[in-house]
């Protein structure tokens, strides 16, 4: 968990891998049409805006991609009393105004709690009957699976899925090596850009000075020249020396090397 969170915060590529598909999936959103009643479509749009449905779906989707799973918890109440959260949610008996809020929790704050659904004909078969929700706002509570909308990350085989507390994988898990390779390539390209040109100085006495044991003096002289060129944009040369700059050609590199 801490490793993938660190990747998300410190590297633009993992962040794009996690958030870009979620943003793309919710960008266009939905259009409500009700031929028999335009008023119904208007009310649906107002309700979505009130509860921030689009934003909640986006948040749940990128949390699922980051952590391997997330849920949207539907806070439904009758009057002033919170409904029994361990009871199945029945929208047939829910009245206007009873939906109070939508909350997104990632898989680390929404763990399967209790028995599994063993009814093979159920849409929730082999998934938890209840989820234990951990949030600072209401502590730890157990809610029926019909009160949450579940989002999943990269699908795992059944044995790995069950070993992972019936949650899937982060999308960063399988792309970790590719991300490292891209970052390595980018660093190499930056280094190549800095070395795209190199300087050549022709000095007639260089070979003689090096052969006579004056290598240190020669090195100090060229270090001073490079320093002046870097700091003051001044190139200090003797009257017998010449200077030229040559570009580095990368045309001989194969595609997989670049």
């Amino acid at each position: 968990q801490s490793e993938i969170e660190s990747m998300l915060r410190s590297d633009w590529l993992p962040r794009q891998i996690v958030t870009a598909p979620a943003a793309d999936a919710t960008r266009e959103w939905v259009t409500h049409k009700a031929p028999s009643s335009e008023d119904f479509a208007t009310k649906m749009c107002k309700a979505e805006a009130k509860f921030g449905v689009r934003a909640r779906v986006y948040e749940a989707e990128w949390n699922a991609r980051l952590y391997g799973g997330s849920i949207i918890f539907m806070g439904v109440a009758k009057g002033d009393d919170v409904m029994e959260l361990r009871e199945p949610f029945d929208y047939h008996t829910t009245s206007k105004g009873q939906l109070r809020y939508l909350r997104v929790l990632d898989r680390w704050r929404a763990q399967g709690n209790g028995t599994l659904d063993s009814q093979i004909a159920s849409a929730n078969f082999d998934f938890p009957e209840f989820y234990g929700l951990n949030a600072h706002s209401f502590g730890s509570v157990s809610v029926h699976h019909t009160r949450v909308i579940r989002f999943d990350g990269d699908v795992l085989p059944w044995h790995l899925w069950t070993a992972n507390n019936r949650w899937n994988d982060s999308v960063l898990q399988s792309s970790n090596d590719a991300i490292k390779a891209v970052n390595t390539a980018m660093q190499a390209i930056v280094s190549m850009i800095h070395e795209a040109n190199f300087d050549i100085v022709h000095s007639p006495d260089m070979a003689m000075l090096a052969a006579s044991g004056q290598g240190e003096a020669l090195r100090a002289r060229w270090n001073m020249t490079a320093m002046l060129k870097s700091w003051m944009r001044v190139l200090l040369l003797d009257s017998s020396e010449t200077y030229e700059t040559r570009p580095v050609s990368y045309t001989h590199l194969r595609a997989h090397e670049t």
Side-chain angles (χ1 to χ4, degrees), residues 64-125:
R65 292 179 60 80
L66 177 63
Y67 294 113
S70 68
I71 64 164
I72 296 178
F73 170 55
M74 299 179 292
V76 182
K78 287 184 177 178
D80 294 328
D81 299 324
V82 176
M83 294 177 64
E84 178 55 55
L85 297 179
R86 290 183 62 85
E87 293 296 323
F89 170 66
D90 185 3
Y91 69 90
H92 293 291
T93 62
T94 303
S95 303
K96 178 181 178 180
Q98 290 185 350
L99 177 62
R100 299 297 180 83
Y101 55 82
L102 301 174
R103 295 289 183 265
V104 176
L105 294 93
D106 62 63
R107 58 154 292 189
W108 298 106
R109 297 195 295 161
Q111 295 293 335
N113 183 12
T115 59
L116 301 175
D117 192 338
S118 59
Q119 299 298 319
I120 198 166
S122 170
N124 194 56
F125 172 68

Side-chain angles (χ1 to χ4, degrees), residues 136-154:
H136 296 298
S137 58
F138 51 75
S140 179
V141 296
S142 182
V143 303
H144 196 263
H145 70 85
T146 55
R147 298 180 180 277
V148 306
I149 303 170
R150 177 173 170 138
F151 292 74
D152 280 295
D154 273 359

